Amino acid sequence: MTFLFRSALTKQGLLMPVLNAVRGMSTSTGPNPLFTTLSITRPADTITHVEFCRPEKRNAMNKAFWSEMVDCFNQIAEDPECRVVVFSGAGKLFTAGIDLMSMASDILQPEGDDTARISWNLRHIIVSKTSDCCHTWSMYWRGLVSTGVDLITACDIRLCTQDAWFQVKEVDIGLAADVGTLQRLPKVIGSRSLVNELALTARKMYADEAKSCGLVSRVFPDKETMMAGAMEMAEEIASRSPVAVQGTKVNLIYSRDHSVPDGLNYMATWNMSMLQTHDLMKSAQAAMEKKSPKEITFSKL
Amino acid sequence: MTFLFRSALTKQGLLMPVLNAVRGMSTSTGPNPLFTTLSITRPADTITHVEFCRPEKRNAMNKAFWSEMVDCFNQIAEDPECRVVVFSGAGKLFTAGIDLMSMASDILQPEGDDTARISWNLRHIIVSKTSDCCHTWSMYWRGLVSTGVDLITACDIRLCTQDAWFQVKEVDIGLAADVGTLQRLPKVIGSRSLVNELALTARKMYADEAKSCGLVSRVFPDKETMMAGAMEMAEEIASRSPVAVQGTKVNLIYSRDHSVPDGLNYMATWNMSMLQTHDLMKSAQAAMEKKSPKEITFSKL
Amino acid sequence: MTFLFRSALTKQGLLMPVLNAVRGMSTSTGPNPLFTTLSITRPADTITHVEFCRPEKRNAMNKAFWSEMVDCFNQIAEDPECRVVVFSGAGKLFTAGIDLMSMASDILQPEGDDTARISWNLRHIIVSKTSDCCHTWSMYWRGLVSTGVDLITACDIRLCTQDAWFQVKEVDIGLAADVGTLQRLPKVIGSRSLVNELALTARKMYADEAKSCGLVSRVFPDKETMMAGAMEMAEEIASRSPVAVQGTKVNLIYSRDHSVPDGLNYMATWNMSMLQTHDLMKSAQAAMEKKSPKEITFSKL
Amino acid sequence: MTFLFRSALTKQGLLMPVLNAVRGMSTSTGPNPLFTTLSITRPADTITHVEFCRPEKRNAMNKAFWSEMVDCFNQIAEDPECRVVVFSGAGKLFTAGIDLMSMASDILQPEGDDTARISWNLRHIIVSKTSDCCHTWSMYWRGLVSTGVDLITACDIRLCTQDAWFQVKEVDIGLAADVGTLQRLPKVIGSRSLVNELALTARKMYADEAKSCGLVSRVFPDKETMMAGAMEMAEEIASRSPVAVQGTKVNLIYSRDHSVPDGLNYMATWNMSMLQTHDLMKSAQAAMEKKSPKEITFSKL
Amino acid sequence: MTFLFRSALTKQGLLMPVLNAVRGMSTSTGPNPLFTTLSITRPADTITHVEFCRPEKRNAMNKAFWSEMVDCFNQIAEDPECRVVVFSGAGKLFTAGIDLMSMASDILQPEGDDTARISWNLRHIIVSKTSDCCHTWSMYWRGLVSTGVDLITACDIRLCTQDAWFQVKEVDIGLAADVGTLQRLPKVIGSRSLVNELALTARKMYADEAKSCGLVSRVFPDKETMMAGAMEMAEEIASRSPVAVQGTKVNLIYSRDHSVPDGLNYMATWNMSMLQTHDLMKSAQAAMEKKSPKEITFSKL
Amino acid sequence: MTFLFRSALTKQGLLMPVLNAVRGMSTSTGPNPLFTTLSITRPADTITHVEFCRPEKRNAMNKAFWSEMVDCFNQIAEDPECRVVVFSGAGKLFTAGIDLMSMASDILQPEGDDTARISWNLRHIIVSKTSDCCHTWSMYWRGLVSTGVDLITACDIRLCTQDAWFQVKEVDIGLAADVGTLQRLPKVIGSRSLVNELALTARKMYADEAKSCGLVSRVFPDKETMMAGAMEMAEEIASRSPVAVQGTKVNLIYSRDHSVPDGLNYMATWNMSMLQTHDLMKSAQAAMEKKSPKEITFSKL
């Protein structure tokens, strides 16, 4: 379970954090009619649960998945009620990574009259995946393989179960990870030596090491408690002022890619309008009345 | 307890590290005559202790605090003897964060003829706080709340007691943290997932997690041992060549915001003069005579 | 033991990871005829072991070492067979740091008609060391002192023994570390507070803290098991597709110094040709046949 | 007349240069059935002419224009034949700038429950215009007003007639130009003093000054000769290897926003595959046979 | 005559453009009582004229000048009425550059116990001049020498008389220009070859070349017409919406130092509040009523 | 004729400007014994003339040229006397660009077992040319073709004769210019529209346009007067303090790739030592005695 993140210059709704509904709460018994790989439920008015729902294939990412993710998050982006998205995988495994069979024709037999033209087409495919899809999401998992790391590094918050393991598997299939792992993993965890080791040897990392290196911020004993924890965290975030939550997310993403002085300049420019929200007065008043933030009703953003 | 840090293009003195005097050594029984919120003592010739001294208000940061911090550190900057500053909070709590009552008129009822003019004035207030004050400091604490995180992330080294806790509380009052937390926290600790979780949920983080995630570099059983540890560390730093200490600080700050090749280029340009210090010869000679660096007398910078 | 790293715009071979042969496997009984400070062996066709071999001086880095390192890695760079380099120190200590006696004439008595000209010459010396030599390497050690940290932060992966300790010793000899520590250490480990403390106080850090802060990714009980572990890791990497390994390394280094969107753009441009490798098809086929990557024969790069 | 430009990480087709068909060649007598503000013709197989076709309103940019531009260029991007786009305005004027009446409800009466929410919605509108539309195009004009400068600075090449004039008109309507002029104009022309003067005083600049400051690269006596010149230039570009043209455009845009070393690194990574095009051999052979590049047939990209 | 410019993160007032009063309008017959080197007049409510007033020394910049400039512009920054500043030199010459005699003790006989400490003190002096003073201004001149170029490149708009000449004179006195010329000149004019030639040979550049290379945006036959032109331009700017003028200035400075995508992101964040100004409605209404912007009354910012 | 430029982190001597000796002064009657494509002469003690000397092939750049340029400038870099280099072409043409026949085997028939390996090898060739050679030089010419633009944009100052013309010819041979033109040309001349037009259409630009767009800073009627002018300019530069000349060059290059605040920070760090040169005092004294800088004797750097 984790939260969605996207670059700052993007559509409104995709900046909202996303978080996973508890599986038992889901009324879906399979993929959503609109999607063949995703199941969408609404555990609360302000929370959407997106479940990667292809367990018979260990949630391997096929071509349908890549395009449905874009459509799904575009729909969520237009939904003014949703404040948090939870993303998880159905079954025991979060994802087994890229479904090589599904991608084979594009990647292994690319079109083009010469090497330059084949390269141009391959770049187009990579950029599409990267910019349209893999900017997104959060998720939970038991075991995570290969491209899955691309997905989770694109999320805001990462949780896992005690028996989860992670693997940057691309080096085992003869390529450098192409949809974000090599860019985001070093900014997501603190140890450069570990990043290099994982990416160059494709060894598995288990939950405890994932927690101590900072890849996940919490480890739960099993999927049930993790999903309950995810839901609780989603509720915490969904209950806060959406002005505060969005401003925090926009500025954290901006800071990742800029110097501290640049980040402070941007922050001041952002807050010169955002400080004028009524939410500030409502929160101050609630604080004086010893009320919890959850008791305040904030307008939609 | 921690050390001061500022951007590289700043006044001379503010680049010196600062560190906390042991409370029992302090002869002050309240705020310094010049300041209503700060107590300044001199536990050693080369060490200044700044204590946030408003314990009856849990060291909440009011308007006086913001301007006195600027004056205080400007004075220290002009003091050629001081080599380290220790910054701590009087009483049980380091700080309860922003004193909303004190800031209310500025933030909640800002002036201006239309939204653009109100925004312009608010930006001016934010920039003043950010650039004049919150570039600074270090501190120790038992519990740290809200804007306090802005302060401590601006420090060089952070120590805490076993019972300390930390909270990025802004999201609870309807705003995105505006004086540095969102910019510096991701560059101060290694886990991006944890930064996002703390900033989006406002949950408390306790000392052990603060140590394991790297926010603090040491945890002490209680305030007395912490202050003694801080003083010892201050003495370690104060005894070193000020040429070496300042050069280390300037270049560490530069490296934070630049690429590795840029950092190496700057370092070479810095050291082309700084290597000509007599301190190098003095140190080399002391090393050959098996003397400790503390036995060397270095000139003032 | 760790792996070589260099900036992206550099010679071909130096981008390959490097890893240490087990000492017992080495047939060398001292320095290589070509080198006075380094011993080069070939524990496997694709693995080169570089050993810092001046144990009677605790592997202190003298002038010969600086220039031999450049020559040695330039030779390796021309060797199409070598895929990994292991770098370690002979004897009990990895390195005692800079051999001040050896560098004394250059640093302590630099030439030049006035301060500007002395500075110009000193900058030339620093840049030579920095850009010609310290971009490189990996290593293992029992204890590591002073400039040694410059070396290890320039490596890909760092291993150590349980009794190893690390020290950024420059502040003790009156200077700011000039060959990479202040630039790379903050990007190598997650805790800023710890980086500042180590660089400003020159205190020793032991193996457990080095592991928990992320400086090393594994700790071994003694040198023998560490060297065996290093060799095993070297074999893991050497058995992978060189296209995948090099692409991973190039892009990880690029990402360190660029924003995430810049990194994704570069990755797409890199992979538009690299995805056309036969290694991908070979790997896919091996995966379908349930073979290990080690059973595949990849062409030289 | 000028050429389209977009950031490097974008859809394939939009990277192709665009250029204006001679008006007399156009068979369109008004807007294209699909568009109310644009007329699309095909003066040659590889050249598309987009004409801003609202002359009765002096080509003022209304809401329909903003969305149709996106659709139009998305269509062109999918067209594998088109290699150049020419963009011009019907009638005497290129554009009178933003149609304030059309945008009034969005900008002057924005929705939202408080200032923060209104700001959030306004930012959404600005970002949509900026990222979806104003990355695009090229054009020719007789007189150009206000937002028109946003459009033309987003183009590759700018031509104008002798009686054309240009104006950055935003300061006259109480706002800072928001869709690219302040970002691109300083990178498009050489004189910073002139950029500041134009943006702060809204004075008109005539064709001769536009030529000497570098805003346009050629001035023509009247629209007919200009359109003929534009067509000739379009044919020049369309006849070249599309691998060479696209690579040139991608790398010029990359270089605008990066340092020279970064640009060289990217160039080398780009060309490692693109140099493998058959176009290079075809061109070399043609050169030896003293043939013009126009006599070579290049594959589609 | 030109306009003030400062980095974006600075005090409010200093972001306003500044422009020169016509000399005949000035009632001052010498320096202002508060200043020994500057004369301050107020040709209009919204326009301040700062005159460098040391003609007997050819307006050479002495130590008093450097500190008075800071005080003067700090005062103007607090003045809510002033919207434009004009800066010019009294007498025939704008400035003869640095007054070496005045600076001699600081620069030629700097204090410090060793080279490192002398360097540290010199850096402090340079940084003070650079960050406190030379961020500022605009001016007019007949002849401009040496450090004067530092001043004028820090301005928004530059005008000159037909007999003016410019010289980057530092190379003639054995140093690299240290207060901004080498940083700003290449971003102010378009020809790199010319920048290099001027800085490396110290040759004079006359008004016509200054105009054609873009250093000045207008040349006037003599000082009287230039001052009249400056006043007219100042009135143009002062009559515009201050929200629009400041936003334009802030974003032009931001764009100079950032990529185009970064600039667009910042612009959107800036305008999400600034578009809510009443000035926009007032301007739209005036436009419909065919009134000039000068007929609108805008609130102070 | 122009001057050498290289990135700041490079060998000492290559940072010196270089300038062309008058042809008649040259005693060489062909290539230097050490070089087959270059003729080296010494018109003055402090000035080296490098002449591209393959006029029978219109100075087309073959493989020998690329490696000899590196050797030649490495030799000059070691020469403490030389302060300026002039680079020109023998005969009527500066260069006809790349000698395709000479490069054919490398570029048209690159080695490698698959596309990825061919790409890796091609990248190695490009990087070698780029980083080893094309960082360099300056030159004069009558006509300049294709890759020649890569060379001249890497120079400090560019001069040409009235009948010179320039062409970015790569697009005519099916590739994007790969050794610097696309990176440097937009930073060398002011008009983006013109850069795009030249690179996308490969049209010739003649001397007058080259002057007005800023590519060259001076145009001479014929080669003799140009060479005399180049020599005069070389003498101007060679007579200045080498501390001032080198500092100017290092900081101009740094500023090209960094923001203004970054540039000012670097400048202050550079000059904290360089201001301690005796050259400053010598120059000040000469100025007081009304002597020309040429009458001062400066030490070697």
Side-chain angles (χ1 to χ4, degrees), chain D residues 156-158 188-190 214 217-218 240 244 252 255 258-261 263 265 267 269 271-272 276 280 283 293, chain F residues 108 118-119 122-123 130 171-178 182-183 187 190-193 196-197 201 203 256-257:
Chain D
D156 290 325
I157 302 175
R158 282 163 293 280
V188 158
I189 73 182
S217 48
R218 296 209 207 160
R240 258 68 182 186
L252 279 171
S255 296
H258 293 83
S259 70
V260 168
N265 180 351
M267 179 86 258
T269 303
N271 263 354
M272 71 177 172
Q276 298 179 54
L280 186 56
S283 299
Chain F
L108 298 180
I118 292 170
S119 299
L122 280 172
R123 187 171 185 274
T130 307
V171 78
D172 270 1
I173 52 169
L175 51 84
D178 68 344
L182 302 184
Q183 285 66 52
K187 310 204 176 201
S191 170
R192 188 88 194 176
S193 180
N196 290 335
E197 188 191 327
T201 68
R203 81 159 163 89
R256 181 196 61 195
D257 289 335

Side-chain angles (χ1 to χ4, degrees), chain E residues 31-267:
Chain E
N32 183 299
L34 291 168
F35 297 119
T36 62
T37 66
L38 301 173
S39 158
I40 318 294
T41 53
R42 200 68 176 255
D45 279 357
T46 51
I47 300 174
T48 302
H49 179 197
V50 179
E51 194 177 41
F52 193 177
C53 203
R54 216 186 160 216
E56 74 287 0
K57 295 285 186 184
R58 299 161 73 231
N59 294 330
M61 302 174 205
N62 57 358
K63 288 176 76 169
F65 168 78
W66 291 109
S67 66
E68 289 179 10
M69 280 295 280
V70 179
D71 293 340
C72 167
F73 279 90
N74 279 343
Q75 284 178 26
I76 294 170
E78 300 299 318
D79 176 353
E81 299 296 338
C82 178
R83 293 188 188 172
V84 189
V85 183
V86 179
F87 185 39
S88 66
K92 295 200 165 181
L93 211 62
F94 175 70
T95 172
I98 279 189
D99 184 336
L100 269 185
M101 295 306 102
S102 154
M103 307 296 279
S105 59
D106 283 352
I107 302 292
L108 298 179
Q109 296 156 5
E111 295 186 355
D113 280 0
D114 61 11
T115 297
R117 287 163 173 82
I118 292 170
S119 298
W120 179 265
N121 288 331
L122 280 173
R123 189 171 184 274
H124 188 39
I125 294 169
I126 300 168
V127 169
S128 302
K129 278 194 300 178
T130 306
S131 62
D132 289 352
C133 182
C134 255
H135 278 281
T136 21
W137 334 302
S138 63
M139 62 210 59
Y140 105 90
W141 60 85
R142 282 172 64 90
L144 179 76
V145 183
S146 112
T147 309
V149 173
D150 292 322
L151 296 184
I152 64 166
T153 56
C155 298
D156 291 325
I157 303 175
R158 283 163 290 281
L159 309 182
C160 77
T161 55
Q162 188 58 49
D163 59 352
W165 48 268
F166 306 79
Q167 208 176 356
V168 183
K169 220 175 158 40
E170 276 84 349
V171 78
D172 270 1
I173 51 170
L175 50 84
D178 67 345
V179 279
T181 292
L182 302 184
Q183 285 68 50
R184 292 201 184 91
L185 197 56
K187 310 205 176 199
V188 158
I189 74 182
S191 169
R192 188 89 195 176
S193 180
L194 183 58
V195 168
N196 290 335
E197 188 191 327
L198 294 173
L200 290 171
T201 68
R203 81 159 163 89
K204 290 182 182 178
M205 177 167 69
Y206 292 92
D208 284 347
E209 193 175 6
K211 173 75 166 61
S212 76
C213 80
L215 179 59
V216 302
S217 48
R218 297 207 207 161
V219 177
F220 295 85
D222 52 41
K223 188 169 175 179
E224 280 64 37
T225 52
M226 180 185 70
M227 292 307 289
M231 179 52 67
E232 193 182 337
M233 198 182 286
E235 282 164 0
E236 285 288 334
I237 297 173
S239 72
R240 258 67 183 186
S241 154
V243 170
V245 168
Q246 297 295 349
T248 298
K249 180 154 185 172
V250 166
N251 280 281
L252 278 170
I253 294 172
Y254 187 92
S255 297
R256 180 197 62 196
D257 288 334
H258 293 83
S259 71
V260 168
D262 258 18
L264 290 170
N265 180 351
Y266 192 80
M267 179 85 259

Side-chain angles (χ1 to χ4, degrees), chain A residues 205-245:
Chain A
M205 177 168 68
Y206 292 92
D208 285 347
E209 192 174 7
K211 172 75 166 61
S212 75
C213 80
L215 179 59
V216 302
S217 47
R218 297 209 207 159
V219 177
F220 294 85
D222 52 42
K223 189 170 175 178
E224 281 62 37
T225 52
M226 179 184 71
M227 292 308 290
M231 178 53 64
E232 192 182 339
M233 199 184 283
E235 282 162 3
E236 287 287 332
I237 297 173
S239 71
R240 258 69 183 184
S241 153
V243 170
V245 169

Side-chain angles (χ1 to χ4, degrees), chain A residues 71-93:
Chain A
D71 292 341
C72 167
F73 280 90
N74 280 344
Q75 285 177 25
I76 293 171
E78 299 300 315
D79 175 353
E81 299 296 339
C82 177
R83 293 187 186 173
V84 189
V85 182
V86 178
F87 185 37
S88 66
K92 294 201 166 181
L93 210 61

